[in-house]
Amino acid sequence: MTFQVLAKAERSRVLLLPQSGNNTLFEGYLRLKDMPQGPRVFKFLVKKESQAERYLPPEEALRMLRKAKAIHLARGDPEMEKKLIKLLESYQLGYRFVSICNHCLGQSRVTFVGREAIAYKGTWICENCAAEELLREANFRHLGRAAKAHLAGILKARRSLDDVVGLLSLQRLEPELTLFDTIQASREEPTLTLESVDLPESLKELLQKRLTCLLPVQSRSVQSGLLEGRNQLIVSATATGKSLIGEMAGIKRLLEGKGKLLFLVPLVALANQ
Ligand SMILES: [Zn+2]
C-alpha cells in the first residue's frame, strides 16, 4: 500500500490525512508557529477513530511527511497555505496540488476528482457525493422515479449540483432545464364566428361584448345541432366553455318563447356565477 499524505490549510491549522492506499489512517492537525527561520510545527494533534485525541511531538509530523511517497495539497486557506508551503520547502519536501471531493473530505475520506467533478457551493464534489446529495433533496421533495432520473440526467450534463438543486427550489428556472417533454399540440379546429351562429340578436349583442368566435367545443356542439333542439351530452375539460353551450340553447328557446330554462350545476359557487 502506498503511503501518502493529504494536507489542507485551514484558517488556524493544517489538516493532515495520512493515507494507506484508499484508507485514511487518522486525522492530524498541525499548528504552526512563525519563527525567525520561517514557519515551524508547534503542535501536532492526532485523532484516531474511537481513540482519544492526543498530542504527538512535532517531529513525528515531519517524520510522517518524510515517509510519504507523495504529499498532496488540497486548496485551502490562502494565508495558512503559504506558511505550509514554506514549511514543506524548508524541509525539502515535495508536494503537488490536487482536487479532491469536499464532501468526502468532510468525512476524512480522500477522493480525487478531475474533469468529472461536480460543482457545488463553491467547491468540487465527486459524482457519488453529488448523486447522494441530489437523492436526499429529491426524497425531501417526495419526487418520483422519473423525476429523479430526469434530474440525474441534468446533473450529468451540467456537472453543477447548484443548478439542479436551484431548479428544485425554483430559484434557478431555465427553460432548457425545466423542459421535461414535448408533446404535439392537438389539431387546431376552425371555430365558428359568433356572427354566423343562429342566435337571437339580443343574445348575440350581449355575447359580442365578450367574444367574437366560439370556442372549439362550442363550435362542435352548434355544428351538431345544439340550436336545432338536438339533445346533447357534452363532456369537456374545465374552462373550455361548457356553460355557454347550455346557456345558448336555453336562452335561445326562452327568448323564442318555446319553453323554460332549468340550469342545474353541482356546486354553489358555479350557481352563483
Ligand atoms: Zn465525495
Side-chain angles (χ1 to χ4, degrees):
M1 288 278 171
T2 329
F3 178 69
Q4 41 194 23
V5 177
L6 184 281
K8 184 183 180 186
E10 296 179 350
R11 225 153 57 87
S12 57
R13 58 189 190 175
V14 175
L15 166 70
L16 294 181
L17 295 177
Q19 309 273 303
S20 171
N22 288 329
N23 293 329
T24 299
L25 301 174
F26 60 85
E27 282 173 44
Y29 294 97
L30 299 183
R31 289 209 182 259
L32 305 184
K33 197 175 189 179
D34 286 318
M35 303 294 276
Q37 68 272 35
R40 289 294 179 264
V41 179
F42 165 59
K43 277 184 169 167
F44 180 32
L45 178 72
V46 168
K47 273 192 209 175
K48 245 183 202 169
E49 222 176 309
S50 74
Q51 281 180 26
E53 305 178 0
R54 64 199 170 111
Y55 282 101
L56 294 183
E59 306 81 64
E60 285 295 321
L62 291 166
R63 196 168 302 151
M64 183 181 82
L65 289 170
R66 282 207 186 90
K67 225 175 76 185
K69 276 265 185 296
I71 297 174
H72 293 134
L73 297 195
R75 283 282 173 202
D77 179 81
E79 283 308 305
M80 187 56 77
E81 199 169 278
K82 272 184 216 157
K83 290 184 186 181
L84 172 63
I85 288 174
K86 268 191 190 156
L87 175 83
L88 293 175
E89 284 173 349
S90 68
Y91 288 99
Q92 289 165 338
L93 292 165
Y95 60 87
R96 109 187 132 84
F97 278 101
V98 292
S99 296
I100 58 168
C101 169
N102 219 44
H103 267 211
C104 286
L105 184 66
Q107 295 154 46
S108 299
R109 284 202 316 266
V110 177
T111 307
F112 297 103
V113 291
R115 268 149 47 118
E116 78 289 357
I118 308 274
Y120 189 46
K121 292 183 179 167
T123 63
W124 298 101
I125 62 176
C126 70
E127 285 181 314
N128 287 345
C129 286
E132 255 173 49
E133 192 67 23
L134 180 58
L135 191 63
R136 224 170 44 80
E137 285 283 342
N139 285 336
F140 175 68
R141 287 160 214 274
H142 307 289
L143 298 186
R145 242 194 7 222
K148 284 177 188 168
H150 181 63
L151 292 172
I154 296 177
L155 181 65
K156 217 175 165 92
R158 275 289 178 122
R159 314 221 72 85
S160 161
L161 188 55
D162 294 305
D163 281 3
V164 182
V165 172
L167 198 63
L168 286 177
S169 53
L170 309 180
Q171 285 165 355
R172 203 176 303 196
L173 291 182
E174 296 173 40
E176 191 193 323
L177 298 183
T178 52
L179 178 68
F180 181 71
D181 200 0
T182 314
I183 55 169
Q184 202 67 39
S186 54
R187 189 167 50 85
E188 221 169 86
E189 290 185 34
T191 55
L192 299 174
T193 59
L194 184 62
E195 198 44 53
S196 69
V197 179
D198 176 28
L199 285 174
E201 277 310 310
S202 54
L203 179 55
K204 249 188 212 178
E205 272 169 35
L206 200 67
L207 290 175
Q208 257 153 4
K209 291 177 191 159
R210 289 166 47 197
L211 51 108
T212 53
C213 278
L214 296 186
L215 291 170
V217 68
Q218 295 161 352
S219 301
R220 260 202 213 187
S221 170
V222 169
Q223 284 162 335
S224 308
L226 174 76
L227 302 176
E228 285 112 57
R230 290 269 198 88
N231 291 329
Q232 294 184 344
L233 173 66
I234 292 161
V235 180
S236 182
T238 304
T240 49
K242 291 186 297 293
S243 296
L244 185 63
I245 294 175
E247 288 160 359
M248 283 192 296
I251 295 172
K252 176 177 151 80
R253 286 182 70 82
L254 196 65
L255 290 176
E256 290 170 351
K258 289 180 185 165
K260 291 183 177 172
L261 165 61
L262 176 61
F263 199 112
L264 299 176
V265 289
L267 295 171
V268 175
L270 281 180
N272 287 338
Q273 276 180 30

